Amino acid sequence: MNRPLDKTIGYSACPHDCPSTCALEVDLIDANTIGRVRGAPDNAYTAGVICEKVARYSERIHHPDRLLKPLRRVGEKGSTDFEPIEWDDALDIVAEGFVKAEQAHGSETVWPYYYAGTMGLVQRDGLHRLRHVKRYSRIHETFCTNMAWTGFIAGTGKLAGPDPREMAQSDMVVIWGTNPVSTQVNVMTHAIKARKTRGARIVAIDVYRNDTMRQADVALVLKPGTDGALACAVMHVLFRDGHADWPYLEAYTDRPHDLAEHLKTRTPAWASAITGLSVEEIETFARMVGETKRTYFRLGYGFTRNRNGTANMHAASCIAAVTGAWKLKGGGAFHNNGAIYELDKSMIEGTDALDPAIRVLDQSRIGAVLTGDAGALRGGPPVTAMLIQNTNPVSVAPEQEKVKAGFARDDLFVCVHEQFMTETARMADIVLPATTFLEHDDIYKGGGHQYLILGPKLVEPWGEARENHVVICGLAERLGADHPGFGMTAREHIDWMLRASDYGTVEELESARWLDLQPDFETAHYVDGFAHPDGKFRFSPDWTSVVAPNDGPMGPWQALPDLPDHWDVIETATDEHPFRLATSPARTFLNSTFNETPTSLKREGRPEVMVHPDDAAALGIADGDAVRIGNPRGVVHLHARHFDGVRRGVLISEGIWPNDAFADGRGINTLTGADPVAPYGGAAFHDNRVWLRKPAG
Ligand SMILES: Nc1nc2c(c(=O)[nH]1)N[C@H]1C(S)=C(S)[C@@H](COP(=O)(O)OP(=O)(O)OC[C@H]3O[C@@H](n4cnc5c(=O)[nH]c(N)nc54)[C@H](O)[C@@H]3O)O[C@H]1N2
Ligand SMILES: Nc1nc2c(c(=O)[nH]1)N[C@H]1C(S)=C(S)[C@@H](COP(=O)(O)OP(=O)(O)OC[C@H]3O[C@@H](n4cnc5c(=O)[nH]c(N)nc54)[C@H](O)[C@@H]3O)O[C@H]1N2
Ligand code: SF4
Ligand SMILES: [Mo]
């Protein structure tokens, strides 16, 4: 039962790009001011726990640097020289800019660009309505989920799995390639409950001893990009030692005999040479998996941000099918519950107006797109006008040098709608102030759980900030874009979507606060078969079935392994680039969000790279020394931190710091590549071969 509503407490959902999508309670001090934010105690997944950065959201919403008014650039692109203007004038200028661009180059020259700064379905995805009605260029979203989702669906056929709350009923929770203590705290809530109430063990698998690894009973530190080898060796041992559930394999999987045969050569010794783990570590982990049928594999995003990431996610997801863990409550493999929500988003997104012939540009290749790469432009016109909402590509996108060069073009007109003067906003011609989630209505679905949660407006907008939806409608009016969705409020959109999806009404959701959409046990555990047409889990995926919007499979997809394997397409170290760098998340930043709040900045300190003390000694680098990291994509200046929780040859740099926190304004993404990962694209943010040196001179 939900508790009665209290007027001094606002009920909401965390809008940030985090699988936890916590149900929130917000202390309301007056119509403009919030106090502490807490996790809703009566939401079974949030269970009263949220991360420290959102608990202190008052620091962000009331931050003195929040944008107050629309601004027009008066200085150089990249400077902070802007003058305030009125909303009507700002929107007129943007509409004029778009019309002029379209007249010169056709509608595809305009590229509305967005991502998941808010995960609210109305405020995030409404940009598509304007895009489709105006036939502006489309966007292939490749920053985050492509390798992970594709790799998981390759096996199961569906992006869904056992109820995440079942982790509390597991005998072992394997936290693989995710750092939930930092990135999705509620995974720990349920895993630790299993440990406390039933003596469950927690295993964590990562490339350095992060905060989650410190809390684990068994922590496996492997070399980046080698998870496929570990998964194969584990399955080798399961088959070898009689822990494979043959009746389950025969009934539920596609080619179990071929898999068992194929894995005969994938021994622990073979995997030890690839992963850097000892044979004993691999044998012990495999034995634990074999002897603990009720194991919940919680598979994260981090380990998929490699050029072989799709294959590695698939390989890891195969283990539960070999043991038959899926059969048991608290067993199976989980990555994300995206497919359980059957939402009709056609009004929000204006999908009725979508023309599939309009080109789709790769979000991660924004540098190549804006610098005129013909392939990236798909043979179409240059991009000469952009509207950007909920993302900060000059900081978060790979190939940062190219991104900056692209945004610096004189013939590119850019409008950025933002809460803060980000690196991207500084490249804009017009900057519009945006509301935060507590200042507008929206609705959120949890990727890491199964709730649909309402986030109504709780306080008045900061300064003259406007919500995304209102900006889109204001532009649509000026651009002559016609669609019923432009005549509705955000709340009306929520109501329309709920009714069209048979999920009730906005009033009902308002009093219930959230809807629990967890499918029953049989569905979530694929008891009646997996989601492929033949009902089988696929050890041998049909990679060609994954087709990028009007592009086909991407990357070196023809070479993807037929059965789980170590796929050697990562940036392995060379004499010239002897280190591998992973750009892991910082605890109190969320991508580039919160890298402006005082407490987060204080806690994170400064941009650093963790290096094994022996590697540092060999290079004469002392703890705290200024250093450079480089590769053909660029050079970054930061400070070294000696840390024996990384392997030799591996470097870790946590957090997406503001670019100007680095000596010469080059952020960490100067080093990351934008080449699409097979077979559905995606950026391999943790897969970088680099050199490490002391500063020149
Ligand atoms: N505090 C905080 N929370 C966040 C974010 C943040 O930036 N900061 N970002 C949010 C977003 S957008 C997302 S998508 C999620 C992502 O959350 P996660 O699923 O946790 O993914 P990542 O943050 O990319 O990386 C998680 C871990 O993967 C490790 N890793 C890197 N390469 C490998 C590898 O080859 N093998 C293995 N086994 N591990 C590897 C990294 O060192 C890191 O510890 O988190 C969200 N939550
Ligand atoms: N090196 C490295 N780079 C990475 C990653 C990594 O692990 N390493 N992770 C990648 C991943 S997983 C992701 S998802 C991307 C994320 O990258 P982004 O999607 O760019 O996410 P954020 O950096 O959080 O920036 C979101 C911006 O949206 C703004 N915003 C928030 N809410 C609203 C709103 O309601 N309206 C408007 N108009 N603006 C709003 C915020 O102020 C913020 O500046 O970064 C990627 N980049
Ligand atoms: S854990 Fe994730 S969803 Fe929960 S409050 Fe923090 S950022 Fe938001
Ligand atoms: Mo992400």
Short mmCIF file of all heavy atoms in Angstrom, two decimals, residues 14-16 18-22 24 49-51 53-54 183-186 590, ligand 3:
data_model
loop_
_atom_site.label_atom_id
_atom_site.label_comp_id
_atom_site.label_asym_id
_atom_site.label_seq_id
_atom_site.Cartn_x
_atom_site.Cartn_y
_atom_site.Cartn_z
N CYS A 14 13.62 9.84 -10.39
CA CYS A 14 14.89 10.41 -10.84
C CYS A 14 14.92 10.36 -12.36
O CYS A 14 14.71 9.32 -12.96
CB CYS A 14 16.07 9.66 -10.25
SG CYS A 14 17.62 10.32 -10.89
N PRO A 15 15.21 11.52 -13.00
CA PRO A 15 15.15 11.59 -14.46
C PRO A 15 16.47 11.21 -15.13
O PRO A 15 16.55 11.21 -16.34
CB PRO A 15 14.92 13.09 -14.68
CG PRO A 15 15.77 13.72 -13.61
CD PRO A 15 15.62 12.80 -12.41
N HIS A 16 17.50 10.94 -14.33
CA HIS A 16 18.83 10.81 -14.93
C HIS A 16 19.01 9.47 -15.63
O HIS A 16 18.26 8.54 -15.43
CB HIS A 16 19.91 11.08 -13.88
CG HIS A 16 19.92 12.50 -13.45
ND1 HIS A 16 20.30 13.51 -14.31
CD2 HIS A 16 19.51 13.10 -12.32
CE1 HIS A 16 20.17 14.67 -13.69
NE2 HIS A 16 19.68 14.46 -12.49
N CYS A 18 20.14 6.54 -15.71
CA CYS A 18 20.64 5.56 -14.75
C CYS A 18 19.61 4.46 -14.67
O CYS A 18 18.42 4.74 -14.56
CB CYS A 18 20.83 6.24 -13.40
SG CYS A 18 21.12 5.11 -12.04
N PRO A 19 20.05 3.20 -14.74
CA PRO A 19 19.08 2.09 -14.77
C PRO A 19 18.19 2.04 -13.53
O PRO A 19 17.14 1.40 -13.55
CB PRO A 19 19.97 0.85 -14.83
CG PRO A 19 21.30 1.32 -15.31
CD PRO A 19 21.44 2.73 -14.84
N SER A 20 18.59 2.71 -12.45
CA SER A 20 17.82 2.60 -11.21
C SER A 20 16.50 3.38 -11.23
O SER A 20 15.57 3.04 -10.51
CB SER A 20 18.66 3.06 -10.02
OG SER A 20 19.54 2.04 -9.62
N THR A 21 16.42 4.47 -12.00
CA THR A 21 15.19 5.29 -12.07
C THR A 21 14.45 5.28 -10.72
O THR A 21 13.32 4.79 -10.61
CB THR A 21 14.26 4.82 -13.20
OG1 THR A 21 15.05 4.64 -14.38
CG2 THR A 21 13.16 5.84 -13.50
N CYS A 22 15.10 5.84 -9.71
CA CYS A 22 14.57 5.75 -8.35
C CYS A 22 13.26 6.52 -8.18
O CYS A 22 13.10 7.62 -8.72
CB CYS A 22 15.59 6.30 -7.37
SG CYS A 22 17.08 5.29 -7.27
N LEU A 24 11.24 8.87 -5.96
CA LEU A 24 11.77 9.88 -5.05
C LEU A 24 10.71 10.52 -4.18
O LEU A 24 9.53 10.63 -4.57
CB LEU A 24 12.46 11.00 -5.85
CG LEU A 24 13.58 10.62 -6.81
CD1 LEU A 24 14.13 11.87 -7.50
CD2 LEU A 24 14.70 9.87 -6.09
N VAL A 49 16.45 3.88 -0.88
CA VAL A 49 17.88 4.17 -1.05
C VAL A 49 18.12 4.89 -2.38
O VAL A 49 17.67 4.42 -3.43
CB VAL A 49 18.70 2.85 -1.07
CG1 VAL A 49 20.18 3.15 -1.27
CG2 VAL A 49 18.47 2.08 0.22
N ILE A 50 18.80 6.02 -2.34
CA ILE A 50 19.24 6.66 -3.58
C ILE A 50 20.70 7.06 -3.44
O ILE A 50 21.27 7.00 -2.35
CB ILE A 50 18.39 7.90 -3.97
CG1 ILE A 50 18.46 8.97 -2.88
CG2 ILE A 50 16.97 7.50 -4.29
CD1 ILE A 50 17.88 10.30 -3.33
N CYS A 51 21.27 7.50 -4.55
CA CYS A 51 22.68 7.87 -4.52
C CYS A 51 22.85 9.26 -3.89
O CYS A 51 21.92 10.05 -3.83
CB CYS A 51 23.24 7.87 -5.94
SG CYS A 51 22.49 9.12 -7.00
N LYS A 53 24.44 11.87 -4.98
CA LYS A 53 24.37 13.05 -5.84
C LYS A 53 22.95 13.56 -6.00
O LYS A 53 22.70 14.77 -6.02
CB LYS A 53 25.05 12.82 -7.20
CG LYS A 53 24.55 11.61 -7.98
CD LYS A 53 25.54 11.25 -9.09
CE LYS A 53 25.11 10.02 -9.89
NZ LYS A 53 24.98 8.78 -9.09
N VAL A 54 21.99 12.64 -6.08
CA VAL A 54 20.60 13.08 -6.24
C VAL A 54 19.99 13.44 -4.88
O VAL A 54 19.13 14.31 -4.79
CB VAL A 54 19.78 12.01 -7.00
CG1 VAL A 54 18.31 12.33 -6.99
CG2 VAL A 54 20.29 11.93 -8.45
N THR A 183 27.08 3.49 -9.97
CA THR A 183 26.22 3.79 -11.12
C THR A 183 24.76 3.36 -11.00
O THR A 183 23.92 3.80 -11.78
CB THR A 183 26.77 3.14 -12.42
OG1 THR A 183 26.76 1.72 -12.27
CG2 THR A 183 28.16 3.63 -12.73
N GLN A 184 24.44 2.46 -10.10
CA GLN A 184 23.03 2.07 -9.93
C GLN A 184 22.90 1.38 -8.58
O GLN A 184 22.82 0.16 -8.48
CB GLN A 184 22.54 1.19 -11.08
CG GLN A 184 23.50 0.13 -11.56
CD GLN A 184 22.86 -0.79 -12.58
OE1 GLN A 184 21.64 -0.94 -12.66
NE2 GLN A 184 23.68 -1.42 -13.40
N VAL A 185 22.83 2.23 -7.58
CA VAL A 185 23.06 1.80 -6.20
C VAL A 185 22.09 0.70 -5.76
O VAL A 185 22.44 -0.14 -4.93
CB VAL A 185 23.01 3.04 -5.27
CG1 VAL A 185 21.66 3.72 -5.28
CG2 VAL A 185 23.41 2.68 -3.85
N ASN A 186 20.89 0.65 -6.35
CA ASN A 186 19.89 -0.30 -5.85
C ASN A 186 20.22 -1.75 -6.11
O ASN A 186 19.70 -2.64 -5.43
CB ASN A 186 18.51 0.04 -6.42
CG ASN A 186 18.26 1.52 -6.31
OD1 ASN A 186 18.75 2.27 -7.15
ND2 ASN A 186 17.58 1.94 -5.29
N LEU A 590 27.36 12.18 -13.11
CA LEU A 590 26.59 11.26 -13.94
C LEU A 590 26.84 11.70 -15.37
O LEU A 590 26.29 12.70 -15.82
CB LEU A 590 25.10 11.29 -13.58
CG LEU A 590 24.35 10.05 -14.09
CD1 LEU A 590 23.22 9.67 -13.16
CD2 LEU A 590 23.85 10.25 -15.49
S1 SF4 B 3 20.80 5.85 -8.24
FE1 SF4 B 3 20.42 6.55 -10.35
S2 SF4 B 3 18.18 6.68 -10.49
FE2 SF4 B 3 18.69 6.55 -8.32
S3 SF4 B 3 18.78 8.67 -7.65
FE3 SF4 B 3 20.87 8.10 -8.22
S4 SF4 B 3 21.09 8.70 -10.39
FE4 SF4 B 3 18.92 8.69 -9.89
#
